[in-house]
Amino acid sequence: MRTARFLLAAVCAVTLGTVVPVPPASAAQPASAPAGAPVAADDGATVTDEEQLDDRTYDLTVSSPALGQSVKVRVLVPHGWSRDAARTWPVVYAYHGGRDSYVSWTRSTDIEEVSARYDVMVVMPECADGAFTDWWNYGRGGTPKWETFHTQEVLQLMERNYRAGTTRAAMGISSGATGATTYAARHPGMFRYAAASSGIQHMTRPGVPTTVMFTQAFFTDTDDPLRVWGIPGIDDANWRAHDPYELAAGLRGTGLYVSSGTTGLPGEYDDPAPGQQFLVQPQEVVTGVTSVDFVARLRALGIPVTAHIYTDGWHDWATWQPEMHRYWPLMMDALGVAAG
């Protein structure tokens, strides 16, 4: 709602500076005819189109009751995969960040080459600006239900149609990193490993809800950010129910990797334009502070975590790809998958 955006602007302008947005989403790939008759998810979600891009890459179109629309899912299958195989394969579910799309992991990293060395599937669902939650909608519920889409519909469709197994890991960057830890904590046992790079990991830390809602209102396609988790100060219980810091106890038994920069300045992998070497990206400062909180909370609870909290490094793929290279072998160990 336009009115909600103006109200948020009045509140946020008091405490916040400019937030630097991540790069805009790439155009979606066209779909072609589906292969065979897919088995639906419990709520009727189904694969309506499938396009094979190369010998390992498939783009699926999913008609989702949880979202009230059709969205894309990109799948990387391992060498030797077959939809008719007697066996199943371990799966990594990879979540992108805001203002991006399901193509971002293959567009911006070498995940195709990295995953090709392992007997593992990679599933990259659309996340849009959905915030990895079933939207509060002022207590009324209803669409969009992004958590339901990711943790029920996508999992069921992959397991019923593409030989995906129940040995799973989740990984994400930016808001997708928040999604990976939140999903793992809210659904104990769903994922053996969760890797999070530059995500907000303490949603209810003072000042953070204002930052989040400001970003959603002015740097995403969210018309009314109050619909997502509710009104801070009034709907705090719902905010806490989706805060990795508050949910940390639910991560016991899940392997964890948490990383973030803290200064917002460009790091060793960034290539700032002339005059931008001192440009601070505020969102990385926020993810750094909340990641430090989260790691401290996990350690206070005696929950093992591999943490890489560094100083300089922008909120970008140039920084996140090296992080993926650091946690990928740890994640594969957790899944019991050796390099081929």
Side-chain angles (χ1 to χ4, degrees), residues 174-175 177-178 197-202 208 211 258-262 281-294 309-310 313 315 320:
S174 193
S175 60
T178 311
S197 296
S198 299
I200 293 179
Q201 302 296 347
H202 190 177
V208 171
T211 305
V258 177
S259 68
S260 180
T262 57
Q281 294 193 342
Q283 63 268 57
E284 193 67 15
V285 177
V286 175
T287 65
V289 168
T290 61
S291 294
V292 169
D293 284 356
F294 182 52
I309 307 298
Y310 46 92
H315 197 78
W320 297 327

Side-chain angles (χ1 to χ4, degrees), residues 22-23 100 104-105 107-110 173 197-198 265-272 281 284 308 310 312-326:
V22 296
D100 220 322
S104 62
W105 280 99
R107 180 203 67 217
S108 298
T109 76
D110 59 351
I173 53 89
S197 296
S198 299
L265 289 165
E268 62 177 306
Y269 304 107
D270 295 308
D271 184 21
Q281 294 193 342
E284 193 67 15
H308 183 211
Y310 46 92
D312 299 344
W314 272 345
H315 197 78
D316 60 13
W317 287 102
T319 300
W320 297 327
Q321 174 164 288
E323 289 303 309
M324 182 187 72
H325 283 243
R326 291 185 178 96

Side-chain angles (χ1 to χ4, degrees), residues 163-235:
R163 306 308 294 156
T166 56
T167 301
R168 316 179 190 96
M171 69 183 203
I173 53 89
S174 193
S175 60
T178 311
T181 52
T182 301
Y183 288 170
R186 284 174 57 83
H187 304 274
M190 179 172 285
F191 301 106
R192 291 193 182 183
Y193 202 89
S197 296
S198 299
I200 293 179
Q201 302 296 347
H202 190 177
M203 292 280 291
T204 57
R205 191 181 203 271
V208 171
T210 303
T211 305
V212 170
M213 293 181 51
F214 180 91
T215 304
Q216 288 177 325
F218 296 99
F219 297 100
T220 75
D221 293 328
T222 306
D223 290 332
D224 179 4
L226 298 176
R227 291 177 56 204
V228 182
W229 292 287
I231 303 170
I234 295 177
D235 300 312

Side-chain angles (χ1 to χ4, degrees), residues 52 54-58 75-82 89 112 115-116 118-124 158 162:
Q52 185 171 0
D54 57 40
D55 62 340
R56 294 185 56 227
T57 310
Y58 292 81
V75 182
L76 289 175
V77 298
H79 296 296
W81 172 87
S82 166
W89 280 263
E112 292 173 272
S115 63
Y118 294 84
D119 198 27
V120 66
M121 299 177 67
V122 181
V123 176
M124 297 157 281
M158 293 306 304
Y162 293 92

